[in-house]
C-alpha cells in the first residue's frame, strides 16, 4: 500500500463540511477523472452509501465501487474503493477559528502484479497532485 496525506482549511463550520462529505457521490465529484456509473445502495436519510464509478488512467477506463465504510459524526468519513485499484480515503475534520481543517489520508493498492517499489513510484507520482486537487475542490464548495 502507498500512503499520501495532505490537508487544507475549508471556510465553513465542521458540521457543514461533514454533512457535505457524508455521501459516497462526493468522492466521485471531487476526484479528477472519476465519473459515477451506477447506484448500488442507499443508506440512512436516503444518502448514497455505495456507488459504481469509472476512472480514467492514461486513457484506460477502470471500473469499481466506492462505499462509505466508517463515519464519526462531524469528525471523520472513510471511503473504501474496490476494483483493480483498491484504496481507502479517510477524511478527518477539525474545527479551527477560520473554518475546518480537513485532512485526507489516502492509501492506495493494486491488484496488478507489481513490485512494491514500482507501485509506490507510479502511485505517488500520479496521485499526489490528485489529492491536492480533491482538497481544493472541497474547499471551493464553501467559498462565497
Amino acid at each position: 500500500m502507498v500512503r499520501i496525506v495532505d490537508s487544507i482549511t475549508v471556510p465553513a463550520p465542521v458540521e457543514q463540511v461533514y454533512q457535505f462529505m457524508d455521501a459516497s457521490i462526493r468522492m466521485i465529484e471531487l476526484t479528477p477523472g472519476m465519473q459515477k456509473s451506477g447506484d448500488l445502495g442507499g443508506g440512512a436519510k436516503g444518502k448514497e452509501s455505495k456507488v459504481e464509478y469509472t476512472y480514467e488512467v492514461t486513457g484506460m477506463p477502470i471500473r469499481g465501487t466506492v462505499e462509505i465504510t466508517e463515519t464519526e459524526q462531524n469528525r471523520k468519513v472513510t471511503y473504501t474503493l474496490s476494483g483493480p485499484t483498491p484504496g481507502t480515503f479517510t477524511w478527518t475534520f477539525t474545527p479551527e477559528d477560520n473554518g475546518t481543517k480537513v485532512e485526507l489520508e489516502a492509501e492506495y493498492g493494486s491488484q496488478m502484479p507489481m513490485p512494491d517499489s514500482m507501485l509506490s513510484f507510479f502511485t505517488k507520482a500520479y496521485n499526489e497532485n490528485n489529492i491536492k486537487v480533491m482538497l481544493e475542490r472541497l474547499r471551493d464548495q464553501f467559498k462565497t
Side-chain angles (χ1 to χ4, degrees):
M1 292 289 258
V2 175
R3 183 174 175 261
I4 301 171
V5 179
D6 203 348
S7 65
I8 199 166
T9 298
V10 174
V14 70
E15 296 83 6
Q16 287 179 7
V17 178
Y18 171 82
Q19 185 177 13
F20 179 82
M21 290 301 299
D22 193 24
S24 289
I25 191 67
R26 299 302 183 214
M27 188 71 191
I28 293 170
E29 292 172 349
L30 298 174
T31 304
M34 189 178 277
Q35 297 178 357
K36 179 179 171 183
S37 60
D39 296 321
L40 295 174
K45 302 178 192 169
K47 72 179 180 186
E48 298 171 308
S49 62
K50 186 174 186 178
V51 294
E52 293 178 307
Y53 68 85
T54 302
Y55 186 65
E56 294 282 329
V57 177
T58 63
M60 296 175 45
I62 295 174
R63 291 179 174 77
T65 61
V66 60
E67 178 177 17
I68 293 176
T69 53
E70 183 180 358
T71 62
E72 291 180 32
Q73 183 79 32
N74 299 329
R75 293 183 38 114
K76 176 170 75 170
V77 177
T78 300
Y79 299 90
T80 300
L81 277 65
S82 60
T85 55
T88 303
F89 292 75
T90 301
W91 300 74
T92 56
F93 315 107
T94 307
E96 290 188 337
D97 290 339
N98 56 345
T100 302
K101 177 183 178 187
V102 178
E103 181 178 278
L104 173 53
E105 177 181 342
E107 292 186 357
Y108 296 91
S110 177
Q111 292 183 352
M112 296 175 267
M114 173 184 310
D116 285 346
S117 60
M118 189 181 242
L119 173 65
S120 179
F121 174 78
F122 287 114
T123 300
K124 280 194 176 224
Y126 186 80
N127 289 300
E128 281 182 332
N129 188 59
N130 280 354
I131 296 297
K132 286 191 180 312
V133 170
M134 292 168 73
L135 288 164
E136 290 167 358
R137 286 180 174 180
L138 174 60
R139 181 196 59 212
D140 292 348
Q141 293 292 319
F142 296 92
K143 280 189 169 179
T144 52

